[in-house]
Amino acid sequence: MSGDDRAQTALARRLRELRNSRWPDLRITQAQLRQAFEVSLALISSWESTRAAKIPPPHRLEKYATFFATRRSIVNGHARVLPLTDLTPDELDEQRELFAELTRLRREALRAQLSGQDSEPSSGRDIYRDNPWRFPDGEPITIICSQLPEDQRTTIPYPSPDGLDYIELYKHSDLDSLFELHGHLRAANPRSLVTLRAPEDLRSDDFTAHLVLLGGIDNSEVTTSLRERIQLPVRKVPDRDGELGPYFEVHEGGDTPARHHPRHTGSGADIRLLEDVAFFYRGVNPDNVERTLTICNGMYARGVYGVVRALTDERFRDRNAAYLRERFGDATSYSILTRVLIVGRAVVTPDWTRDYVRLHEWPEPPRED
C-alpha cells in the first residue's frame, strides 16, 4: 500500500478502532453511533470504509471526539453526544486531544485524495458540484426579488421608466443579496438562463423554471399562492407594532406556536440590529415537479443576505451544503430557520454545523423506537 493510500484510509481505520476498541469491555455498534449522531447507518459505514472511504466533515469529527471522550456517552445501551458544557475538565482535555488527532487525519486524507486525482485541470463548475445552487445543465432559473414600496421608490433618483437615466434595479430591495446570489448562480450554472423578475413582471414561463424567492416578498400574490400550496410550518409575521416587533412563527403541532424574534439594542433612531432571523427552504416547484422552489427570507435585509451567504460564501458553502445532505438526505422538501449575527455593519455567515445557529429544522430528524 502506498503512502497516499495509507493516508486516505488512516482516518477510516481510526474511526473504526474507536468504535471497536476505545473501551475494551464495551463495544460500540454502528447503530448506536447512528442514534447518537442522528445520521444514516450507511453514512457511518462509509466513514469507516477502507475501500471507498467518505471523509466526514469537521463537525462530525467533533461529535466523534465528544462521544469517545467519556463513557457517559452510553447509558443503559442508549447512545448520546453530551454538550461540551457537561464534560468534566479531564473529559474536555480528552475531547480536544482526540478532535485534534481526527482533524489531522482528515487533513492528511484530503491531501492524499487530491494528489491522487487526475492532474488535468478541472472545470470551474466542479467546485459547485454538490452545492444546492447547482442545477442540471441548461435548466432555466428565475429569481423573484422583492420590490421597494412605491412610496420609497419615489424618493430614489430616476425612478420613472420615462427618465433618461432610469435604472430598473432601483425598484428592487435586498440588492446585496441579489448581487451575491445572481453572480453565484451564473458561475455555477453557465449553461442556464438566469432571469430576474419582480413579482409584477412575471410571465407564464417563469413559474415552471427553478424558482428562487428572494427577500421580503411575503405579501405578494405570487408568494401567497406558492406558500399556500406548499404549506410550510414556518411563517413570517410582520408585527411592527408588537412589543418585540416582527418575528418568525413555527407551528410544530402544539397549541402555541414558537416565536423567534431578531435581537436589537437601543431604540428609536439609535436602534441597532444585533441578530436577525432568516429562513431557507428548498422543495419541489408546485408548478413543475421537475424543477425546484427555493425561498431565502429574513426578518430584515441582512438576514436575507446571511442566509444567501450560507451557501455562496466560499469559506462556509461546502460545510453548510454537506450539513444539508447529511441532515436531510433524499428529502424532496426541507427548511432551516437560522440566526444571522450582525457585528457592527458586517453580516456573519451562519455556520449550520453549529447547533446554536439553527433555530428550527423541518422535517424533524427520525426518532429511534
Short mmCIF file of all heavy atoms in Angstrom, two decimals, residues 133 145-146 173-184 212-216 236 248 273 275-280 295-317 320 338-352:
data_model
loop_
_atom_site.label_atom_id
_atom_site.label_comp_id
_atom_site.label_asym_id
_atom_site.label_seq_id
_atom_site.Cartn_x
_atom_site.Cartn_y
_atom_site.Cartn_z
N TRP A 133 -27.14 25.29 -5.10
CA TRP A 133 -27.37 26.26 -6.18
C TRP A 133 -26.87 25.76 -7.53
O TRP A 133 -26.90 26.49 -8.50
CB TRP A 133 -26.71 27.59 -5.85
CG TRP A 133 -27.32 28.32 -4.70
CD1 TRP A 133 -26.69 28.77 -3.58
CD2 TRP A 133 -28.69 28.72 -4.55
NE1 TRP A 133 -27.57 29.41 -2.74
CE2 TRP A 133 -28.80 29.39 -3.31
CE3 TRP A 133 -29.83 28.56 -5.34
CZ2 TRP A 133 -30.02 29.91 -2.85
CZ3 TRP A 133 -31.04 29.07 -4.87
CH2 TRP A 133 -31.12 29.73 -3.65
N CYS A 145 -37.41 38.69 -7.00
CA CYS A 145 -36.83 39.52 -5.94
C CYS A 145 -37.85 40.52 -5.43
O CYS A 145 -38.68 41.04 -6.18
CB CYS A 145 -35.60 40.27 -6.48
SG CYS A 145 -34.65 41.13 -5.20
N SER A 146 -37.78 40.80 -4.14
CA SER A 146 -38.69 41.75 -3.53
C SER A 146 -38.51 43.15 -4.12
O SER A 146 -37.46 43.49 -4.65
CB SER A 146 -38.46 41.79 -2.01
OG SER A 146 -37.11 42.12 -1.74
N SER A 173 -35.58 45.69 -3.67
CA SER A 173 -34.90 45.74 -2.37
C SER A 173 -33.95 44.55 -2.29
O SER A 173 -33.82 43.79 -3.25
CB SER A 173 -35.93 45.70 -1.23
OG SER A 173 -36.66 44.50 -1.27
N ASP A 174 -33.26 44.39 -1.16
CA ASP A 174 -32.33 43.26 -0.97
C ASP A 174 -31.28 43.19 -2.08
O ASP A 174 -30.95 42.10 -2.57
CB ASP A 174 -33.09 41.94 -0.88
CG ASP A 174 -34.03 41.90 0.31
OD1 ASP A 174 -33.53 41.93 1.45
OD2 ASP A 174 -35.25 41.85 0.10
N LEU A 175 -30.75 44.35 -2.47
CA LEU A 175 -29.78 44.37 -3.57
C LEU A 175 -28.48 43.66 -3.21
O LEU A 175 -27.84 43.05 -4.08
CB LEU A 175 -29.50 45.81 -4.00
CG LEU A 175 -30.63 46.50 -4.77
CD1 LEU A 175 -30.23 47.93 -5.14
CD2 LEU A 175 -30.98 45.72 -6.04
N ASP A 176 -28.06 43.72 -1.95
CA ASP A 176 -26.86 42.96 -1.53
C ASP A 176 -27.04 41.48 -1.80
O ASP A 176 -26.17 40.81 -2.37
CB ASP A 176 -26.58 43.17 -0.04
CG ASP A 176 -26.03 44.54 0.28
OD1 ASP A 176 -25.61 45.23 -0.67
OD2 ASP A 176 -26.01 44.92 1.46
N SER A 177 -28.18 40.96 -1.40
CA SER A 177 -28.46 39.54 -1.59
C SER A 177 -28.60 39.19 -3.06
O SER A 177 -28.12 38.15 -3.52
CB SER A 177 -29.75 39.16 -0.84
OG SER A 177 -29.63 39.44 0.53
N LEU A 178 -29.27 40.06 -3.80
CA LEU A 178 -29.46 39.82 -5.23
C LEU A 178 -28.13 39.79 -5.97
O LEU A 178 -27.88 38.90 -6.79
CB LEU A 178 -30.37 40.90 -5.82
CG LEU A 178 -30.59 40.85 -7.33
CD1 LEU A 178 -31.21 39.52 -7.75
CD2 LEU A 178 -31.47 42.02 -7.77
N PHE A 179 -27.27 40.74 -5.68
CA PHE A 179 -25.95 40.79 -6.33
C PHE A 179 -25.15 39.53 -6.01
O PHE A 179 -24.53 38.92 -6.89
CB PHE A 179 -25.21 42.04 -5.85
CG PHE A 179 -23.91 42.29 -6.54
CD1 PHE A 179 -23.85 42.92 -7.76
CD2 PHE A 179 -22.72 41.88 -5.95
CE1 PHE A 179 -22.65 43.14 -8.40
CE2 PHE A 179 -21.50 42.09 -6.58
CZ PHE A 179 -21.47 42.73 -7.81
N GLU A 180 -25.16 39.10 -4.74
CA GLU A 180 -24.43 37.92 -4.32
C GLU A 180 -24.97 36.66 -4.99
O GLU A 180 -24.21 35.84 -5.53
CB GLU A 180 -24.52 37.77 -2.80
CG GLU A 180 -23.90 36.52 -2.22
CD GLU A 180 -22.39 36.58 -2.12
OE1 GLU A 180 -21.84 37.69 -2.23
OE2 GLU A 180 -21.77 35.52 -1.94
N LEU A 181 -26.28 36.48 -4.95
CA LEU A 181 -26.88 35.24 -5.45
C LEU A 181 -26.85 35.17 -6.97
O LEU A 181 -26.57 34.11 -7.54
CB LEU A 181 -28.32 35.12 -4.94
CG LEU A 181 -29.05 33.84 -5.36
CD1 LEU A 181 -28.29 32.60 -4.89
CD2 LEU A 181 -30.47 33.84 -4.83
N HIS A 182 -27.13 36.27 -7.64
CA HIS A 182 -27.15 36.25 -9.10
C HIS A 182 -25.78 35.86 -9.65
O HIS A 182 -25.68 35.02 -10.56
CB HIS A 182 -27.57 37.62 -9.64
CG HIS A 182 -27.79 37.64 -11.12
ND1 HIS A 182 -26.77 37.92 -12.02
CD2 HIS A 182 -28.89 37.40 -11.87
CE1 HIS A 182 -27.24 37.87 -13.25
NE2 HIS A 182 -28.52 37.55 -13.20
N GLY A 183 -24.71 36.44 -9.10
CA GLY A 183 -23.37 36.10 -9.56
C GLY A 183 -23.04 34.64 -9.32
O GLY A 183 -22.42 33.98 -10.16
N HIS A 184 -23.45 34.12 -8.15
CA HIS A 184 -23.17 32.72 -7.83
C HIS A 184 -23.93 31.79 -8.77
O HIS A 184 -23.37 30.79 -9.25
CB HIS A 184 -23.56 32.44 -6.38
CG HIS A 184 -23.15 31.09 -5.89
ND1 HIS A 184 -21.91 30.82 -5.35
CD2 HIS A 184 -23.82 29.90 -5.89
CE1 HIS A 184 -21.83 29.55 -5.03
NE2 HIS A 184 -22.98 28.96 -5.35
N VAL A 212 -36.62 30.92 -7.40
CA VAL A 212 -35.96 31.39 -6.18
C VAL A 212 -36.70 32.63 -5.70
O VAL A 212 -36.74 33.64 -6.40
CB VAL A 212 -34.48 31.74 -6.42
CG1 VAL A 212 -33.83 32.21 -5.12
CG2 VAL A 212 -33.72 30.57 -7.02
N LEU A 213 -37.33 32.55 -4.53
CA LEU A 213 -38.00 33.70 -3.93
C LEU A 213 -37.01 34.37 -2.99
O LEU A 213 -36.60 33.77 -1.99
CB LEU A 213 -39.25 33.26 -3.18
CG LEU A 213 -40.29 32.44 -3.95
CD1 LEU A 213 -41.52 32.22 -3.09
CD2 LEU A 213 -40.66 33.12 -5.25
N LEU A 214 -36.66 35.58 -3.30
CA LEU A 214 -35.59 36.27 -2.57
C LEU A 214 -36.12 37.49 -1.85
O LEU A 214 -36.66 38.41 -2.48
CB LEU A 214 -34.48 36.68 -3.55
CG LEU A 214 -33.24 37.34 -2.95
CD1 LEU A 214 -32.50 36.37 -2.04
CD2 LEU A 214 -32.31 37.84 -4.06
N GLY A 215 -35.96 37.49 -0.53
CA GLY A 215 -36.28 38.69 0.24
C GLY A 215 -37.70 38.72 0.76
O GLY A 215 -38.44 37.74 0.72
N GLY A 216 -38.10 39.89 1.25
CA GLY A 216 -39.38 40.05 1.92
C GLY A 216 -40.53 40.24 0.97
O GLY A 216 -41.07 41.33 0.84
N LYS A 236 -43.69 34.04 8.44
CA LYS A 236 -43.16 35.36 8.84
C LYS A 236 -44.32 36.26 9.25
O LYS A 236 -45.29 36.40 8.51
CB LYS A 236 -42.40 35.98 7.67
CG LYS A 236 -41.75 37.32 7.98
CD LYS A 236 -40.95 37.79 6.78
CE LYS A 236 -40.34 39.17 7.01
NZ LYS A 236 -39.57 39.63 5.83
N PHE A 248 -40.58 35.30 13.24
CA PHE A 248 -40.95 34.08 12.53
C PHE A 248 -41.70 33.18 13.50
O PHE A 248 -41.29 33.01 14.65
CB PHE A 248 -39.71 33.34 12.00
CG PHE A 248 -39.21 33.87 10.69
CD1 PHE A 248 -38.17 34.77 10.63
CD2 PHE A 248 -39.79 33.45 9.49
CE1 PHE A 248 -37.70 35.26 9.44
CE2 PHE A 248 -39.33 33.93 8.28
CZ PHE A 248 -38.29 34.84 8.24
N LEU A 273 -29.39 46.55 14.92
CA LEU A 273 -29.69 45.13 14.81
C LEU A 273 -28.47 44.32 15.23
O LEU A 273 -27.38 44.49 14.67
CB LEU A 273 -30.07 44.80 13.36
CG LEU A 273 -30.51 43.36 13.07
CD1 LEU A 273 -31.78 43.01 13.85
CD2 LEU A 273 -30.75 43.17 11.57
N GLU A 275 -28.85 40.69 15.83
CA GLU A 275 -29.02 39.34 15.31
C GLU A 275 -30.36 39.26 14.59
O GLU A 275 -31.40 39.59 15.15
CB GLU A 275 -28.98 38.34 16.47
CG GLU A 275 -29.10 36.89 16.06
CD GLU A 275 -29.08 35.96 17.27
OE1 GLU A 275 -27.97 35.74 17.81
OE2 GLU A 275 -30.16 35.51 17.69
N ASP A 276 -30.31 38.83 13.34
CA ASP A 276 -31.54 38.67 12.58
C ASP A 276 -31.93 37.19 12.57
O ASP A 276 -31.15 36.32 12.98
CB ASP A 276 -31.34 39.17 11.14
CG ASP A 276 -32.66 39.59 10.48
OD1 ASP A 276 -33.73 39.32 11.06
OD2 ASP A 276 -32.61 40.17 9.39
N VAL A 277 -33.13 36.92 12.12
CA VAL A 277 -33.62 35.56 11.93
C VAL A 277 -33.94 35.39 10.45
O VAL A 277 -34.57 36.26 9.85
CB VAL A 277 -34.88 35.28 12.78
CG1 VAL A 277 -35.36 33.85 12.58
CG2 VAL A 277 -34.59 35.55 14.25
N ALA A 278 -33.47 34.28 9.86
CA ALA A 278 -33.64 34.08 8.42
C ALA A 278 -34.11 32.66 8.14
O ALA A 278 -33.92 31.75 8.96
CB ALA A 278 -32.34 34.37 7.68
N PHE A 279 -34.69 32.48 6.96
CA PHE A 279 -35.34 31.21 6.61
C PHE A 279 -34.86 30.75 5.25
O PHE A 279 -34.83 31.52 4.29
CB PHE A 279 -36.86 31.44 6.59
CG PHE A 279 -37.67 30.22 6.25
CD1 PHE A 279 -37.64 29.10 7.06
CD2 PHE A 279 -38.48 30.21 5.12
CE1 PHE A 279 -38.41 27.98 6.76
CE2 PHE A 279 -39.25 29.10 4.82
CZ PHE A 279 -39.22 27.98 5.63
N PHE A 280 -34.47 29.45 5.18
CA PHE A 280 -34.10 28.82 3.91
C PHE A 280 -34.99 27.62 3.69
O PHE A 280 -35.12 26.76 4.57
CB PHE A 280 -32.64 28.38 3.92
CG PHE A 280 -32.21 27.68 2.65
CD1 PHE A 280 -31.77 28.42 1.57
CD2 PHE A 280 -32.25 26.30 2.54
CE1 PHE A 280 -31.39 27.80 0.39
CE2 PHE A 280 -31.87 25.66 1.37
CZ PHE A 280 -31.44 26.42 0.28
N ILE A 295 -36.66 29.32 -1.16
CA ILE A 295 -37.01 30.58 -0.50
C ILE A 295 -35.85 31.01 0.37
O ILE A 295 -35.36 30.24 1.20
CB ILE A 295 -38.29 30.42 0.35
CG1 ILE A 295 -39.48 30.03 -0.52
CG2 ILE A 295 -38.59 31.71 1.11
CD1 ILE A 295 -40.74 29.70 0.28
N CYS A 296 -35.39 32.24 0.19
CA CYS A 296 -34.39 32.86 1.07
C CYS A 296 -35.03 34.11 1.64
O CYS A 296 -35.21 35.11 0.91
CB CYS A 296 -33.12 33.22 0.29
SG CYS A 296 -32.21 31.81 -0.35
N ASN A 297 -35.37 34.07 2.90
CA ASN A 297 -36.11 35.17 3.50
C ASN A 297 -35.48 35.53 4.84
O ASN A 297 -34.79 34.72 5.44
CB ASN A 297 -37.57 34.76 3.71
CG ASN A 297 -38.51 35.94 3.80
OD1 ASN A 297 -38.08 37.08 3.97
ND2 ASN A 297 -39.79 35.67 3.69
N GLY A 298 -35.71 36.74 5.27
CA GLY A 298 -35.21 37.19 6.56
C GLY A 298 -36.16 38.21 7.13
O GLY A 298 -36.98 38.78 6.41
N MET A 299 -36.05 38.43 8.43
CA MET A 299 -36.90 39.45 9.01
C MET A 299 -36.49 40.83 8.48
O MET A 299 -37.33 41.68 8.22
CB MET A 299 -36.80 39.40 10.54
CG MET A 299 -37.92 40.16 11.22
SD MET A 299 -39.57 39.68 10.65
CE MET A 299 -39.59 37.95 11.13
N TYR A 300 -35.17 41.00 8.29
CA TYR A 300 -34.64 42.23 7.70
C TYR A 300 -33.70 41.86 6.56
O TYR A 300 -33.38 40.69 6.35
CB TYR A 300 -33.91 43.06 8.77
CG TYR A 300 -34.79 43.49 9.91
CD1 TYR A 300 -34.69 42.88 11.17
CD2 TYR A 300 -35.73 44.50 9.75
CE1 TYR A 300 -35.49 43.27 12.23
CE2 TYR A 300 -36.55 44.89 10.81
CZ TYR A 300 -36.43 44.27 12.03
OH TYR A 300 -37.25 44.66 13.07
N ALA A 301 -33.23 42.89 5.84
CA ALA A 301 -32.41 42.65 4.64
C ALA A 301 -31.13 41.90 4.97
O ALA A 301 -30.67 41.07 4.18
CB ALA A 301 -32.09 43.98 3.96
N ARG A 302 -30.54 42.16 6.14
CA ARG A 302 -29.28 41.50 6.46
C ARG A 302 -29.47 40.02 6.80
O ARG A 302 -28.57 39.21 6.64
CB ARG A 302 -28.56 42.26 7.58
CG ARG A 302 -27.86 43.51 7.03
CD ARG A 302 -27.22 44.34 8.11
NE ARG A 302 -28.20 45.09 8.88
CZ ARG A 302 -27.90 46.00 9.79
NH1 ARG A 302 -26.63 46.27 10.05
NH2 ARG A 302 -28.84 46.63 10.44
N GLY A 303 -30.67 39.67 7.25
CA GLY A 303 -30.98 38.26 7.43
C GLY A 303 -31.05 37.55 6.09
O GLY A 303 -30.56 36.42 5.94
N VAL A 304 -31.66 38.20 5.11
CA VAL A 304 -31.71 37.63 3.75
C VAL A 304 -30.29 37.42 3.23
O VAL A 304 -29.95 36.35 2.70
CB VAL A 304 -32.50 38.55 2.79
CG1 VAL A 304 -32.56 37.92 1.39
CG2 VAL A 304 -33.90 38.80 3.31
N TYR A 305 -29.46 38.43 3.39
CA TYR A 305 -28.08 38.34 2.91
C TYR A 305 -27.33 37.20 3.61
O TYR A 305 -26.58 36.45 2.97
CB TYR A 305 -27.37 39.68 3.16
CG TYR A 305 -25.97 39.75 2.60
CD1 TYR A 305 -25.73 39.65 1.24
CD2 TYR A 305 -24.88 39.95 3.44
CE1 TYR A 305 -24.45 39.74 0.73
CE2 TYR A 305 -23.59 40.04 2.94
CZ TYR A 305 -23.39 39.93 1.58
OH TYR A 305 -22.11 40.01 1.08
N GLY A 306 -27.54 37.05 4.90
CA GLY A 306 -26.85 35.99 5.65
C GLY A 306 -27.24 34.61 5.18
O GLY A 306 -26.39 33.73 5.02
N VAL A 307 -28.55 34.39 4.95
CA VAL A 307 -28.98 33.05 4.55
C VAL A 307 -28.56 32.75 3.10
O VAL A 307 -28.32 31.59 2.75
CB VAL A 307 -30.51 32.88 4.76
CG1 VAL A 307 -31.31 33.50 3.62
CG2 VAL A 307 -30.86 31.42 4.95
N VAL A 308 -28.43 33.76 2.28
CA VAL A 308 -27.87 33.56 0.93
C VAL A 308 -26.40 33.19 1.03
O VAL A 308 -25.92 32.24 0.41
CB VAL A 308 -28.06 34.83 0.07
CG1 VAL A 308 -27.19 34.76 -1.18
CG2 VAL A 308 -29.52 34.99 -0.33
N ARG A 309 -25.66 33.93 1.86
CA ARG A 309 -24.23 33.68 2.00
C ARG A 309 -23.92 32.31 2.60
O ARG A 309 -22.82 31.77 2.41
CB ARG A 309 -23.61 34.76 2.89
CG ARG A 309 -23.56 36.14 2.25
CD ARG A 309 -22.33 36.30 1.39
NE ARG A 309 -21.12 36.41 2.21
CZ ARG A 309 -19.89 36.34 1.73
NH1 ARG A 309 -19.70 36.14 0.44
NH2 ARG A 309 -18.85 36.46 2.53
N ALA A 310 -24.88 31.72 3.30
CA ALA A 310 -24.66 30.40 3.88
C ALA A 310 -24.25 29.38 2.83
O ALA A 310 -23.50 28.44 3.12
CB ALA A 310 -25.92 29.92 4.61
N LEU A 311 -24.72 29.58 1.57
CA LEU A 311 -24.41 28.62 0.51
C LEU A 311 -23.64 29.25 -0.66
O LEU A 311 -23.49 28.61 -1.70
CB LEU A 311 -25.70 27.97 0.01
CG LEU A 311 -26.38 27.05 1.02
CD1 LEU A 311 -27.78 26.68 0.55
CD2 LEU A 311 -25.55 25.81 1.28
N THR A 312 -23.16 30.49 -0.48
CA THR A 312 -22.32 31.11 -1.51
C THR A 312 -20.93 31.49 -0.98
O THR A 312 -19.98 31.54 -1.75
CB THR A 312 -22.99 32.38 -2.09
OG1 THR A 312 -23.12 33.36 -1.06
CG2 THR A 312 -24.35 32.07 -2.69
N ASP A 313 -20.81 31.76 0.31
CA ASP A 313 -19.53 32.12 0.92
C ASP A 313 -18.57 30.94 0.80
O ASP A 313 -18.83 29.86 1.33
CB ASP A 313 -19.78 32.48 2.39
CG ASP A 313 -18.53 32.99 3.11
OD1 ASP A 313 -17.41 32.70 2.64
OD2 ASP A 313 -18.68 33.65 4.15
N GLU A 314 -17.44 31.15 0.13
CA GLU A 314 -16.53 30.03 -0.15
C GLU A 314 -15.95 29.41 1.11
O GLU A 314 -15.48 28.27 1.09
CB GLU A 314 -15.39 30.48 -1.07
CG GLU A 314 -14.49 31.54 -0.48
CD GLU A 314 -13.39 31.97 -1.44
OE1 GLU A 314 -13.43 31.52 -2.60
OE2 GLU A 314 -12.53 32.76 -1.02
N ARG A 315 -15.98 30.10 2.23
CA ARG A 315 -15.47 29.53 3.49
C ARG A 315 -16.49 28.64 4.18
O ARG A 315 -16.12 27.82 5.03
CB ARG A 315 -15.04 30.66 4.43
CG ARG A 315 -13.83 31.43 3.95
CD ARG A 315 -13.74 32.77 4.65
NE ARG A 315 -14.87 33.62 4.30
CZ ARG A 315 -15.03 34.87 4.71
NH1 ARG A 315 -14.13 35.41 5.50
NH2 ARG A 315 -16.08 35.57 4.35
N PHE A 316 -17.76 28.79 3.85
CA PHE A 316 -18.80 28.04 4.56
C PHE A 316 -19.70 27.23 3.64
O PHE A 316 -20.40 26.34 4.12
CB PHE A 316 -19.68 29.01 5.37
CG PHE A 316 -19.00 29.62 6.56
CD1 PHE A 316 -18.34 30.83 6.45
CD2 PHE A 316 -19.01 28.96 7.78
CE1 PHE A 316 -17.70 31.38 7.54
CE2 PHE A 316 -18.37 29.51 8.87
CZ PHE A 316 -17.71 30.73 8.76
N ARG A 317 -19.73 27.52 2.35
CA ARG A 317 -20.75 26.90 1.49
C ARG A 317 -20.63 25.39 1.42
O ARG A 317 -21.64 24.68 1.45
CB ARG A 317 -20.71 27.51 0.08
CG ARG A 317 -19.43 27.26 -0.69
CD ARG A 317 -19.37 28.11 -1.94
NE ARG A 317 -18.16 27.82 -2.71
CZ ARG A 317 -17.64 28.68 -3.58
NH1 ARG A 317 -18.20 29.86 -3.78
NH2 ARG A 317 -16.55 28.34 -4.26
N ASN A 320 -21.78 23.93 4.84
CA ASN A 320 -23.23 24.00 5.01
C ASN A 320 -23.96 23.09 4.03
O ASN A 320 -24.98 22.49 4.39
CB ASN A 320 -23.70 25.45 4.84
CG ASN A 320 -23.35 26.32 6.03
OD1 ASN A 320 -23.19 25.84 7.15
ND2 ASN A 320 -23.19 27.62 5.80
N THR A 338 -32.69 30.09 10.82
CA THR A 338 -31.32 30.27 11.30
C THR A 338 -31.11 31.66 11.90
O THR A 338 -31.76 32.64 11.51
CB THR A 338 -30.33 30.06 10.13
OG1 THR A 338 -29.00 30.25 10.57
CG2 THR A 338 -30.58 31.05 9.00
N ARG A 339 -30.20 31.72 12.85
CA ARG A 339 -29.73 33.01 13.36
C ARG A 339 -28.75 33.60 12.36
O ARG A 339 -27.98 32.87 11.72
CB ARG A 339 -29.01 32.85 14.69
CG ARG A 339 -29.81 32.22 15.80
CD ARG A 339 -28.94 32.09 17.04
NE ARG A 339 -29.54 31.23 18.05
CZ ARG A 339 -30.36 31.65 19.01
NH1 ARG A 339 -30.67 32.93 19.07
NH2 ARG A 339 -30.86 30.81 19.89
N VAL A 340 -28.72 34.92 12.24
CA VAL A 340 -27.72 35.63 11.45
C VAL A 340 -27.15 36.74 12.33
O VAL A 340 -27.84 37.71 12.64
CB VAL A 340 -28.31 36.22 10.15
CG1 VAL A 340 -27.25 37.01 9.40
CG2 VAL A 340 -28.87 35.11 9.26
N LEU A 341 -25.90 36.58 12.73
CA LEU A 341 -25.26 37.54 13.64
C LEU A 341 -24.80 38.77 12.87
O LEU A 341 -24.26 38.67 11.77
CB LEU A 341 -24.07 36.86 14.31
CG LEU A 341 -23.31 37.67 15.37
CD1 LEU A 341 -24.23 37.93 16.57
CD2 LEU A 341 -22.05 36.92 15.81
N ILE A 342 -25.01 39.94 13.47
CA ILE A 342 -24.56 41.21 12.90
C ILE A 342 -23.52 41.80 13.83
O ILE A 342 -23.78 42.02 15.02
CB ILE A 342 -25.72 42.22 12.75
CG1 ILE A 342 -26.98 41.55 12.18
CG2 ILE A 342 -25.28 43.41 11.92
CD1 ILE A 342 -26.84 40.99 10.82
N VAL A 343 -22.31 42.04 13.33
CA VAL A 343 -21.24 42.64 14.13
C VAL A 343 -20.90 43.98 13.49
O VAL A 343 -20.31 44.03 12.41
CB VAL A 343 -20.00 41.73 14.19
CG1 VAL A 343 -18.91 42.40 15.01
CG2 VAL A 343 -20.35 40.37 14.77
N GLY A 344 -21.28 45.05 14.17
CA GLY A 344 -21.11 46.37 13.57
C GLY A 344 -22.01 46.47 12.33
O GLY A 344 -23.22 46.30 12.42
N ARG A 345 -21.39 46.67 11.18
CA ARG A 345 -22.16 46.68 9.93
C ARG A 345 -22.03 45.38 9.16
O ARG A 345 -22.62 45.21 8.09
CB ARG A 345 -21.66 47.83 9.04
CG ARG A 345 -21.88 49.22 9.62
CD ARG A 345 -21.42 50.28 8.63
NE ARG A 345 -21.65 51.62 9.14
CZ ARG A 345 -21.36 52.74 8.46
NH1 ARG A 345 -20.82 52.63 7.25
NH2 ARG A 345 -21.61 53.91 8.99
N ALA A 346 -21.24 44.44 9.68
CA ALA A 346 -20.93 43.22 8.94
C ALA A 346 -21.92 42.11 9.28
O ALA A 346 -22.29 41.90 10.44
CB ALA A 346 -19.51 42.75 9.26
N VAL A 347 -22.31 41.38 8.26
CA VAL A 347 -23.16 40.19 8.41
C VAL A 347 -22.25 38.97 8.49
O VAL A 347 -21.44 38.72 7.59
CB VAL A 347 -24.13 40.05 7.22
CG1 VAL A 347 -24.93 38.76 7.33
CG2 VAL A 347 -25.06 41.26 7.15
N VAL A 348 -22.37 38.19 9.56
CA VAL A 348 -21.55 36.99 9.75
C VAL A 348 -22.28 35.80 9.11
O VAL A 348 -23.43 35.51 9.45
CB VAL A 348 -21.29 36.72 11.24
CG1 VAL A 348 -20.45 35.46 11.40
CG2 VAL A 348 -20.59 37.92 11.87
N THR A 349 -21.62 35.12 8.20
CA THR A 349 -22.23 33.97 7.54
C THR A 349 -22.57 32.89 8.55
O THR A 349 -21.71 32.48 9.33
CB THR A 349 -21.26 33.39 6.48
OG1 THR A 349 -20.92 34.41 5.54
CG2 THR A 349 -21.90 32.22 5.75
N PRO A 350 -23.81 32.41 8.58
CA PRO A 350 -24.17 31.36 9.55
C PRO A 350 -23.51 30.03 9.22
O PRO A 350 -23.43 29.63 8.05
CB PRO A 350 -25.70 31.27 9.42
CG PRO A 350 -26.03 31.86 8.09
CD PRO A 350 -24.97 32.88 7.80
N ASP A 351 -23.04 29.35 10.24
CA ASP A 351 -22.43 28.03 10.12
C ASP A 351 -23.45 27.02 10.63
O ASP A 351 -23.65 26.86 11.83
CB ASP A 351 -21.15 27.97 10.95
CG ASP A 351 -20.47 26.61 10.90
OD1 ASP A 351 -21.03 25.68 10.30
OD2 ASP A 351 -19.36 26.49 11.47
N TRP A 352 -24.11 26.31 9.72
CA TRP A 352 -25.21 25.43 10.10
C TRP A 352 -24.76 24.18 10.84
O TRP A 352 -25.59 23.42 11.34
CB TRP A 352 -26.03 25.06 8.86
CG TRP A 352 -26.85 26.21 8.37
CD1 TRP A 352 -27.25 27.29 9.09
CD2 TRP A 352 -27.39 26.39 7.06
NE1 TRP A 352 -27.99 28.14 8.30
CE2 TRP A 352 -28.09 27.62 7.06
CE3 TRP A 352 -27.35 25.64 5.88
CZ2 TRP A 352 -28.75 28.09 5.92
CZ3 TRP A 352 -28.00 26.11 4.76
CH2 TRP A 352 -28.70 27.33 4.78
#
